[in-house]
Amino acid sequence: MSTASADDRSTLPRLARIDPRHFDLLFGGCKVERYAAGQHLFVQEDASDRIYGVMSGTVEISLYSPGGQKLVANIELSRSLVGEIGALDGRPRTATAMCLTACELVSLNRAQLFDRIEKNPPLARAMIELLCTRLRWVSGELGDQAFFGIEARLAKRLVFLSGVMADPAGWVPISQSELGEFLGATRESVNKTLNDWRNRHMIAIKRGGLRIINAAALNQIADSQDDG
């Protein structure tokens, strides 16, 4: 089995995290909060009053259109921050955050966040760097949507997800519908592409998951620009 190596993933967007020392400085002394799979931390347009730190588990960040169409913007894993934009500017939530798995989190309200930043100036720089990383992620996603076809975007997403979500056997616990939500694509287009790759022995598929078999082939597709 060929899985994605560290070198394969070096050109892909990385998870936006602050340094573990800054994470501990930010949330030191906070009580661990436990959330069940499927539980929301907040919903798009909610009032912003807290920032969360992920201790364990997986949190999905999603956007919803006025008509209810869902687009998965990102996933957050251990030592990631969730809800920092609203906590910093005090404006409504820009996205919905939901626990995909059982999660252990820590959190601060907005007043506590600014108090810790003021008392620990290195946290200000860490937060700025985090926001810049997230902005670069969004810019990259917009570029992919504009310049790459479904195959390139799907291949890139699979390699990324394999690097951050795969179990020890290499299986990524995600459905074809969820992949469509990641890409803003239909389930049918994702299904057609995945079946083609399975027939070419590039991936393996099972109910609710998939595994990369030929990472080199997927990386080649991810790097291939589609002019439409």
Side-chain angles (χ1 to χ4, degrees), residues 98-118:
M98 182 189 75
C99 297
L100 285 180
T101 66
C103 292
E104 292 188 338
L105 308 173
V106 284
S107 70
L108 297 169
N109 64 37
R110 192 163 183 258
Q112 291 171 325
L113 170 63
F114 280 101
D115 180 64
R116 296 203 176 193
I117 289 175
E118 290 171 2

Side-chain angles (χ1 to χ4, degrees), residues 49-214:
D49 59 351
R50 303 194 77 77
I51 182 173
Y52 297 87
V54 182
M55 301 296 290
S56 66
T58 305
V59 178
E60 176 188 271
I61 309 298
S62 301
L63 305 174
Y64 287 86
S65 72
Q69 184 177 359
K70 178 181 177 182
L71 175 66
V72 177
N74 209 348
I75 56 170
E76 302 297 344
L77 305 175
S78 177
R79 297 286 172 164
S80 295
L81 301 188
V82 175
E84 74 286 344
I85 294 176
L88 287 169
D89 69 10
R91 300 184 66 185
R93 296 295 189 186
T94 60
T96 294
M98 182 189 75
C99 297
L100 285 180
T101 66
C103 292
E104 292 188 338
L105 308 173
V106 284
S107 70
L108 297 169
N109 64 37
R110 192 163 183 258
Q112 291 171 325
L113 170 63
F114 280 101
D115 180 64
R116 296 203 176 193
I117 289 175
E118 290 171 2
K119 291 179 178 177
N120 302 281
L123 285 176
R125 179 172 179 174
M127 296 297 290
I128 290 170
E129 291 176 347
L130 173 73
L131 292 174
C132 288
T133 301
R134 294 203 192 278
L135 180 59
R136 289 180 182 275
W137 169 276
V138 172
S139 296
E141 291 292 290
L142 290 174
D144 286 352
Q145 289 278 353
F147 302 120
F148 286 76
I150 178 64
E151 288 196 3
R153 291 190 289 125
L154 180 56
K156 183 176 182 179
R157 183 65 65 175
L158 286 183
V159 174
F160 169 71
L161 292 175
S162 181
V164 299
M165 289 182 64
D167 66 19
W171 289 99
V172 179
I174 192 168
S175 70
Q176 294 178 26
S177 295
E178 290 169 331
L179 280 172
E181 291 172 349
F182 262 111
L183 301 173
T186 65
R187 183 185 184 280
E188 290 74 19
S189 62
V190 170
N191 179 271
K192 179 180 178 181
T193 302
L194 291 177
N195 283 331
D196 175 56
W197 290 349
R198 176 173 58 183
N199 293 336
R200 293 158 61 186
H201 306 290
M202 296 163 57
I203 64 171
I205 300 175
K206 67 178 182 179
R207 185 176 181 83
L210 55 86
R211 182 180 66 191
I212 293 177
I213 297 174
N214 188 339

Side-chain angles (χ1 to χ4, degrees), residues 7-36:
D7 290 340
D8 293 331
R9 297 192 298 271
S10 63
T11 60
L12 297 172
R14 64 183 177 87
L15 289 172
R17 295 170 174 161
I18 62 174
D19 184 279
R21 295 169 298 174
H22 293 139
F23 185 96
D24 292 338
L25 192 61
L26 186 61
F27 293 108
C30 293
K31 182 180 178 181
V32 174
E33 307 163 17
R34 292 175 174 81
Y35 291 79

